[in-house]
Amino acid sequence: LPVIITTNSLIREISDASYSVLLAANDPPQVFQYGGALARVTAGGGRASIQLLDPPMLRHRLERVANYMSVRTTDTGQYARAASAPEKVVADILAYPEYPGLPDLRGVVTAPIVAPGGQVRIEPGYDAATGLYYHVGGPLEVGDTAPTPERVAWAVGLILGDLLGDFPFKDGASRANAFALVNLPFARALIDAPTPLHIATAPTPGTGKTLVARVATLPFNPDGPAVMTAGQDEDEWRKRITALLSGGTSHLLIDNVKSALVSGSLAAVLSAPHWTDRILGKNQTITLPNRAIWMVTGNNLAVDTEMARRSVWIHLDSNAERPWTRSGFKHAPLQEWALEHRGDLVTAALILIRHWFNIGCPPGRQTIGGFEAYARIMGGILDAAGIDGFMDNAAELYEQSDPEAALWAAFVGEWWSQFQDKPVGVKELFPLADSEPSDDVNGLGLLDAMLTGHSARARKNRLGRILAEKKDTVVERFKIQDMGTRKRASTYSLLSLGKVEGE
């Protein structure tokens, strides 16, 4: 090994010499830069993950690529003896602002993937073209991925009929969304953008929400998804997100959410190609690539509108009081079957993606704001395979996430019917919104659920506040406009943005 003398040298000189040796010994790559920090790939416990190098880890590597020696001078002359990599040198290297020459790591994969050019990457180890490290955790025999019509039909049948066939999907859209979830990790390198949250929900426990999330993961990752629970507050959400992303896992499952799924941190990471946060226990930030496939399960899971527009919905409904007692499944236990036939399932996914490339990569018909690349590519793959319904339940999920939307639609419709585009204030609109606007008048009560307060005066004040909050909002093709004040009272009008049915 190269010898590095630690005596009578400046720290920067020892650091630079150590870094040069680290680079020279990094073929094939064992040390990477990940999120601006040094990292390595490890498979402790069988699950491949990324570890950010701390001082002991970096010292471990340095002392295996170089011999550190100190030189002593005595009356009889000079002699060298073995030494450790100095702590200050280790700290100095970790403090480098950048690491030229070290490969950029974007994530760890546990199965072959399709690269942006359409090539199937099957070689284990690091791939510089994609920035991904392929960890082979066990035997995996991939078959012929030539996308002939017969092989495409076989691939669709295997995934849709065998892997997903026993799940009681509520509709074709949920089935198609689950089909896309199985194929997504194999096509993830094609999507240089975030991917949405996959919500698996059902009205009754035991319907198969967690199972569908797990078996959708197993073809790509035989260890299954990394599992986390919902955070109790935003700080906890942020710490959990950072910890799991730093490991580079392919699938993240937020399992069995009991209450409404509302988190600004989760909404933010779903929309971000990179996630920046402070490293736990350090006054240092890290920017991590967000390549994870996000999933969540819960019974009749409620989400807010911010989460709904970042999600695709997989809805299960067995129409049974005790769905966990069902029997007669095609493959039971399903997880064991999926692992036994993992090579076939991987082959099937690769065939379908190659088939999409072979016909010219036509884009999917659906779209979702902020996830256009996901919708274009996954929708295209499903369309090419003849799978209908992809994301067709998106509007239903969004409507369920905003129960006030229907109230506002009815209110604005009556507002237009009575006043057209005339400027009006709370005085004119209150009888539409409240069921008891005065002692001798019965109102329509269209916004009763939103008007808190025991007195008419309190409810009027509440209506004034929510009208101000709705300024410039479009409801049912009408825009609520602020028209200034009249006798010190705010007034509003509706601007029609298009012809309304019945006009």
Side-chain angles (χ1 to χ4, degrees), residues 167-240:
F167 288 101
F169 296 108
K170 181 181 178 181
D171 48 35
S174 295
R175 181 180 291 106
N177 293 345
F179 189 92
L181 177 59
V182 174
N183 288 272
L184 175 57
F186 300 94
R188 185 66 180 87
L190 310 177
I191 305 171
D192 192 20
T195 58
L197 176 68
H198 299 79
I199 298 176
T201 185
T204 310
T207 307
K209 303 175 299 297
T210 299
L211 182 60
V212 75
R214 281 194 57 81
V215 300
T217 304
L218 292 178
F220 188 79
N221 189 340
D223 295 322
V227 180
M228 64 180 281
T229 55
Q232 298 300 312
D233 54 42
E234 287 303 320
D235 189 53
E236 191 173 341
W237 270 111
R238 180 182 52 76
K239 290 177 181 178
R240 292 181 183 184

Side-chain angles (χ1 to χ4, degrees), residues 7-25:
T7 309
N8 298 325
S9 297
L10 297 172
I11 291 296
R12 66 171 179 268
E13 294 172 344
I14 306 173
S15 297
D16 291 346
S18 299
Y19 189 74
S20 296
V21 171
L22 189 68
L23 288 178

Side-chain angles (χ1 to χ4, degrees), residues 143-493:
D144 181 10
T145 63
T148 64
E150 295 78 15
R151 295 290 282 167
V152 170
W154 169 81
V156 171
L158 186 69
I159 296 175
L160 205 58
D162 288 87
L163 185 67
L164 301 176
D166 283 328
F167 288 101
F169 296 108
K170 181 181 178 181
D171 48 35
S174 295
R175 181 180 291 106
N177 293 345
F179 189 92
L181 177 59
V182 174
N183 288 272
L184 175 57
F186 300 94
R188 185 66 180 87
L190 310 177
I191 305 171
D192 192 20
T195 58
L197 176 68
H198 299 79
I199 298 176
T201 185
T204 310
T207 307
K209 303 175 299 297
T210 299
L211 182 60
V212 75
R214 281 194 57 81
V215 300
T217 304
L218 292 178
F220 188 79
N221 189 340
D223 295 322
V227 180
M228 64 180 281
T229 55
Q232 298 300 312
D233 54 42
E234 287 303 320
D235 189 53
E236 191 173 341
W237 270 111
R238 180 182 52 76
K239 290 177 181 178
R240 292 181 183 184
I241 290 169
T242 303
L244 287 172
L245 283 184
S246 68
T249 186
S250 62
H251 293 73
L252 291 174
L253 172 60
I254 309 165
D255 197 24
N256 199 24
V257 176
K258 299 292 187 181
S259 57
L261 184 66
V262 180
S263 167
S265 297
L266 179 59
V269 73
L270 289 170
S271 301
H274 295 87
W275 172 257
T276 301
D277 190 29
R278 184 173 62 85
I279 301 175
L280 189 62
K282 297 183 179 180
N283 291 321
Q284 178 184 351
T285 60
I286 188 169
T287 299
L288 301 166
N290 177 22
R291 297 188 67 263
I293 295 167
W294 294 83
M295 303 177 290
V296 63
T297 66
N299 295 318
N300 283 333
L301 184 63
V303 298
D304 64 2
T305 54
E306 288 300 305
M307 206 66 68
R309 68 183 184 86
R310 293 171 166 86
S311 304
V312 293
W313 194 15
I314 301 170
H315 194 157
L316 306 179
D317 190 352
S318 65
N319 294 311
E321 183 179 359
R322 298 181 178 88
W324 59 88
T325 64
R326 292 179 301 140
S327 59
F329 299 116
K330 186 175 183 179
H331 300 297
L334 183 57
Q335 293 185 75
E336 291 184 12
W337 180 89
L339 291 173
E340 289 172 5
H341 295 81
R342 183 174 172 240
D344 287 338
L345 292 166
V346 170
T347 302
L350 296 175
I351 287 171
L352 296 175
I353 300 169
R354 288 194 63 196
H355 173 57
W356 178 64
F357 269 95
N358 269 19
I359 63 173
C361 302
R365 295 171 287 104
Q366 295 282 15
T367 188
I368 177 172
F371 302 96
E372 292 85 358
Y374 164 83
R376 182 179 69 252
I377 292 171
M378 297 311 301
I381 292 170
L382 266 67
D383 287 346
I387 306 297
D388 296 324
F390 179 55
M391 295 200 308
D392 280 355
N393 55 7
E396 182 182 356
L397 173 61
Y398 191 82
E399 289 170 4
Q400 290 192 10
S401 71
D402 187 9
E404 294 181 353
L407 303 179
W408 274 103
F411 174 72
V412 167
E414 188 62 30
W415 178 351
W416 179 260
S417 176
Q418 293 198 23
F419 302 107
Q420 298 287 301
D421 57 1
K422 176 184 175 182
V424 291
V426 170
K427 179 180 179 181
E428 292 87 354
L429 296 175
F430 190 56
L432 281 60
D434 194 78
S435 57
E436 299 179 3
S438 64
D439 293 338
D440 56 349
V441 175
N442 290 325
L444 298 180
L446 298 177
L447 297 183
D448 262 352
M450 303 169 60
L451 301 183
T452 56
H454 297 294
S455 66
R457 181 183 179 85
R459 296 194 299 275
K460 280 185 179 179
N461 289 337
R462 174 60 180 158
L463 177 60
R465 289 195 296 271
I466 62 177
L467 282 170
E469 293 168 1
K470 282 287 185 178
K471 181 181 67 173
D472 295 331
T473 300
V474 176
V475 179
E476 292 291 297
R477 288 177 289 178
F478 292 103
K479 186 174 185 178
I480 300 174
Q481 298 185 113
D482 183 350
M483 301 303 291
T485 59
R486 182 181 61 199
K487 296 182 179 179
R488 295 190 297 178
S490 298
T491 61
Y492 303 89
S493 72

